[in-house]
Amino acid sequence: MADLATTISKAITTIPECLAAGVVDVASGLLLDIKTVDSHPNEVIDLLAAATSDLFQGPNVVAVENLFKKSRGIETNEHYFEEIIVNSKNLLHVFIRGRRNQDYVVCFLCRKTVNLGMALTKARSSMPEIEMAI
């Protein structure tokens, strides 16, 4: 089994126009590992774990998830939101929650010029191997 750093690096090379990827434990708020092929401000990297935790498990997000589950009669501890895609001025941010352990979220950063469908397909296909390495 490959280590997490090697697995993330491999994922970056398979996802078109991918500049960085990181794994966040949203339960603890820790950044487990990150690999970049471009320079990113340290302040952004330092805030990645906290922002990802807020995005997936902030109080308002949890409230919305609970309302969705209640309205659909779903009684489970599983999270409702599995993927979040954010378009910024120059980048596409793809956040994917792990299936094996929903406390892990992988963040992929691609240039905005990337084909969204290809980026999603390749990011999703890299998830099983990343999860095995965590």
Side-chain angles (χ1 to χ4, degrees), residues 5-63:
T6 302
T7 306
I8 293 171
S9 295
K10 181 181 172 187
I12 288 173
T13 64
T14 62
I15 299 168
E17 301 191 56
C18 190
L19 302 174
V23 179
V24 175
D25 179 344
V26 293
S28 68
L30 293 175
L31 178 62
L32 301 180
D33 206 341
I34 187 168
K35 296 295 169 209
T36 67
V37 297
D38 204 357
S39 63
H40 299 284
N42 284 338
E43 297 84 11
V44 171
I45 292 172
D46 292 343
L47 289 172
L48 176 64
T52 302
S53 293
D54 288 346
L55 190 61
F56 277 87
Q57 295 190 171
N60 291 324
V61 173
V62 171

Side-chain angles (χ1 to χ4, degrees), residues 65-74 76-78 80:
E65 282 186 328
N66 289 337
L67 287 171
F68 275 132
K69 287 191 275 189
K70 183 179 179 182
S71 71
R72 288 171 173 77
I74 300 170
T76 179
N77 289 331
E78 290 184 0
Y80 196 75

Side-chain angles (χ1 to χ4, degrees), residues 64-124:
V64 168
E65 282 186 328
N66 289 337
L67 287 171
F68 275 132
K69 287 191 275 189
K70 183 179 179 182
S71 71
R72 288 171 173 77
I74 300 170
E75 294 182 28
T76 179
N77 289 331
E78 290 184 0
H79 291 280
Y80 196 75
F81 295 118
E82 297 176 352
E83 296 178 355
I84 297 175
I85 299 164
V86 177
N87 285 300
S88 63
K89 186 170 180 100
N90 299 313
L91 297 170
L92 171 72
H93 311 255
V94 177
F95 300 86
I96 302 177
R97 186 186 292 274
R99 293 192 184 273
R100 293 181 55 182
N101 185 333
Q102 291 194 331
D103 286 337
Y104 298 132
V105 174
V106 183
C107 314
F108 300 97
L109 256 62
C110 299
R111 289 186 183 91
K112 194 163 185 170
T113 55
V114 70
N115 176 300
L116 175 60
M118 283 301 295
L120 277 174
T121 298
K122 294 294 188 174
R124 287 172 180 158

